[in-house]
Amino acid sequence: MNILVTGGAGYIGSHTCVSLLETGHTVVVADNLCNSRADTLDRVKQITGKDVIFSRIDVTDEAAVNSLFADYSFDGVIHFAGHKAVGESVAKPLKYYRNNIISTIVLAEACQRYGVKRFVFSSSATVYGDNEVPFVESMPLLPATNPYGETKAVCERILIDAAKANPDWSVALLRYFNPVGAHESGLIGDAPDGIPNNLMPYITQVAKGKLDKLRIFGDDYPTVDGTGVRDYIHVMDLAEGHVAALDKLTSGVHVYNLGTGQGTSVLQLVKAFEDANGMKLSCAIVARRPGDIAECYANASKAKRELGWVAKRDLLEMCRDAWRFEKNFMGSCLHS
Ligand code: NAD
Ligand code: UDP
């Protein structure tokens, strides 16, 4: 299939380009590089030996999106492009609503206009809010605790309604848990700008000596050891989940959790990282981070049942691959 990948120069998008190319799909990336660099796509080419067409456009720009759809005959769209920093979304909600929601509407309208019937959307486990774990797709969603989460819930609703009006559409709403790690080549990975918000890139920067110690946000949660529990998933498993969704989708809207189904605490992740990479990390317990929930992990059985997809890579591989990328590349390939 010929697939439009919006946000394809970013963290999850670039890994998904690798999976798509390796399974015989062709890829056109649309990215404005607001949180990525074009040379990531050169490394995607290096890994796969295959070409990627790149269009530097903003996918909220209707004219630019329409012209891309007119130039290429797409069989499907995977829509990754969006802003994703929870804290920034609280400070700049309109920036988040504008980018994340308008891009989704513009792309859905272009699909309607040009007869593109497959749409895969990057949603997030954040739409479950503080529900009871494990999170299952049929749960009623609780209000998001921040504008970023709200944009994901709104986009899901927009696509559900658009698919009702276009009964021949196949839409996948993929709710990601916590993507970590990097392609095993160490050529592409998570390259956050500035001080990372997320745990794994924070850990790799402590390991490298760029940050002095990991601050663990709270050890008094009702969890296995008091620290927050999340469902960490290797980014290549996540990438393969997108290919499975594209290949297996039938008409209608389908919601899938993409997680491992395994909860891991902060302390357990630190220990896994130390064991995988033979080092000790400096850590300190500090206060809880406002807005954090105690536990978040998936019931991942629907994706297994309907898409034949399961996450295969374990915590040690996630830690080893995240560290390899940090060691090899992060010094020289930070965002411009
Ligand atoms: P990322 O920032 O690395 O990638 C997003 C890409 O989209 C970047 O390359 C950026 O330049 C591009 N982009 C943003 N707005 C754009 C626009 N208007 N036009 C064109 N390009 C634009 O983020 P990621 O971690 O790869 O996340 C991809 C998607 O997955 C996002 O929608 C994010 O909300 C969602 N998601 C991410 C996580 C996570 O933990 N990383 C978890 C759940 C969901
Ligand atoms: N966390 C932490 N220190 C950090 C970053 C994160 O202790 O510097 C904890 C956080 O409280 C949560 C877990 O690690 O329990 C995962 O946080 P992350 O921001 O990576 O993902 P999210 O909370 O968005 O699921």
Coordinates of all heavy atoms in Angstrom, one line a residue, residues 178 197-200 202 214-217 228-230 232 266 289 292-293, ligand 2:
N178 N 3.2 3.2 27.1 CA 4.4 4.1 27.2 C 5.5 3.6 26.2 O 6.3 2.7 26.6 CB 4.9 4.1 28.6 CG 4.0 4.9 29.5 OD1 2.8 4.6 29.6 ND2 4.5 5.9 30.2
N197 N 10.8 15.0 29.8 CA 9.7 14.8 30.7 C 9.5 13.4 31.1 O 9.1 13.0 32.1 CB 8.4 15.3 30.1 CG 8.4 16.8 29.9 OD1 8.8 17.6 30.7 ND2 8.1 17.2 28.6
N198 N 9.8 12.5 30.1 CA 9.5 11.1 30.2 C 10.6 10.3 30.9 O 11.8 10.7 30.8 CB 9.2 10.5 28.9 CG 7.9 11.0 28.3 OD1 8.0 11.6 27.2 ND2 6.8 10.8 28.9
L199 N 10.2 9.3 31.5 CA 11.2 8.5 32.4 C 12.4 8.0 31.6 O 13.5 8.2 32.0 CB 10.4 7.4 33.1 CG 11.2 6.6 34.1 CD1 11.9 7.4 35.2 CD2 10.3 5.5 34.7
M200 N 12.1 7.2 30.5 CA 13.3 6.5 29.9 C 14.3 7.5 29.4 O 15.5 7.3 29.6 CB 12.8 5.6 28.8 CG 13.9 4.8 28.2 SD 14.7 3.7 29.4 CE 13.8 2.1 29.0
Y202 N 15.0 10.4 30.4 CA 15.6 11.0 31.6 C 16.7 10.0 32.1 O 17.8 10.4 32.4 CB 14.6 11.3 32.7 CG 15.0 12.4 33.6 CD1 14.5 13.7 33.5 CD2 16.0 12.2 34.6 CE1 14.9 14.7 34.3 CE2 16.4 13.2 35.4 CZ 15.9 14.4 35.3 OH 16.3 15.5 36.1
L214 N 18.3 10.8 38.7 CA 16.9 10.6 38.4 C 16.1 11.0 39.7 O 16.4 10.5 40.8 CB 16.6 9.1 38.1 CG 15.2 8.8 37.9 CD1 14.6 9.5 36.7 CD2 15.0 7.3 37.8
R215 N 15.1 11.9 39.5 CA 14.2 12.2 40.6 C 13.0 11.3 40.4 O 12.3 11.4 39.3 CB 13.9 13.7 40.5 CG 15.1 14.6 40.9 CD 14.8 16.0 40.6 NE 14.3 16.3 39.3 CZ 13.2 17.0 39.0 NH1 12.5 17.6 40.0 NH2 12.8 17.2 37.8
I216 N 12.7 10.5 41.4 CA 11.6 9.5 41.3 C 10.4 10.2 42.0 O 10.4 10.6 43.1 CB 11.9 8.2 42.0 CG1 13.1 7.5 41.2 CG2 10.7 7.3 42.1 CD1 13.6 6.3 41.9
F217 N 9.3 10.4 41.1 CA 8.2 11.2 41.6 C 7.3 10.4 42.5 O 6.3 9.9 42.0 CB 7.4 11.8 40.4 CG 8.2 12.7 39.5 CD1 8.1 12.6 38.1 CD2 9.2 13.6 40.0 CE1 8.8 13.5 37.3 CE2 9.9 14.5 39.2 CZ 9.7 14.4 37.8
G228 N 5.2 4.8 40.7 CA 4.2 4.7 39.7 C 4.4 3.6 38.7 O 5.6 3.2 38.4
V229 N 3.4 3.0 38.3 CA 3.4 1.8 37.4 C 2.9 2.2 36.0 O 1.8 2.8 35.9 CB 2.6 0.6 38.0 CG1 2.3 -0.5 37.0 CG2 3.3 0.1 39.3
R230 N 3.7 1.8 35.0 CA 3.3 2.0 33.6 C 3.5 0.8 32.8 O 4.3 -0.1 33.2 CB 4.1 3.2 33.0 CG 3.9 4.5 33.7 CD 2.6 5.1 33.5 NE 2.4 6.4 34.1 CZ 2.0 6.7 35.3 NH1 1.7 5.6 36.1 NH2 1.8 7.9 35.8
Y232 N 5.4 -0.2 29.7 CA 6.4 0.3 28.8 C 6.4 -0.7 27.6 O 6.4 -1.9 27.8 CB 7.8 0.3 29.4 CG 7.8 1.3 30.5 CD1 7.6 1.0 31.9 CD2 7.9 2.7 30.3 CE1 7.5 1.9 32.9 CE2 7.8 3.7 31.3 CZ 7.6 3.2 32.6 OH 7.6 4.2 33.6
V266 N 8.5 2.4 38.6 CA 9.7 3.2 38.3 C 11.0 2.5 38.8 O 12.0 2.3 38.1 CB 9.7 4.6 38.9 CG1 10.9 5.4 38.7 CG2 8.4 5.4 38.4
R289 N 4.5 13.9 41.1 CA 4.3 14.9 40.0 C 2.8 15.2 39.9 O 2.1 14.2 39.8 CB 4.9 14.4 38.7 CG 4.8 15.3 37.5 CD 5.6 14.8 36.4 NE 5.1 13.5 35.8 CZ 5.6 12.9 34.8 NH1 6.7 13.4 34.1 NH2 5.1 11.8 34.3
D292 N -0.1 12.9 38.0 CA 0.2 11.5 37.7 C -0.8 10.6 38.4 O -1.3 10.8 39.5 CB 1.6 11.2 38.3 CG 2.7 11.5 37.3 OD1 2.4 11.9 36.1 OD2 3.9 11.3 37.7
I293 N -1.1 9.5 37.7 CA -1.9 8.4 38.3 C -1.0 7.3 38.8 O 0.2 7.2 38.4 CB -3.0 7.9 37.3 CG1 -2.3 7.3 36.0 CG2 -4.0 8.9 37.0 CD1 -3.3 6.6 35.1
Ligands
UDP2 N1 8.8 9.6 36.4 C1 9.7 9.8 37.4 N2 10.8 10.7 37.2 C2 10.9 11.3 36.0 C3 9.9 11.1 35.0 C4 8.9 10.2 35.2 O1 9.7 9.3 38.5 O2 11.8 12.1 35.8 C5 7.7 8.6 36.7 C6 6.3 9.2 36.6 O3 5.9 9.7 37.8 C7 5.5 8.0 36.1 C8 6.5 7.2 35.3 O4 7.8 7.6 35.7 O5 5.1 7.2 37.3 C9 6.4 7.3 33.8 O6 6.4 8.7 33.5 P1 6.4 9.3 32.0 O7 6.3 10.8 32.1 O8 7.5 8.6 31.3 O9 5.0 8.7 31.4 P2 3.5 9.0 31.8 O10 3.4 9.5 33.2 O11 3.1 10.1 30.9 O12 2.8 7.8 31.6

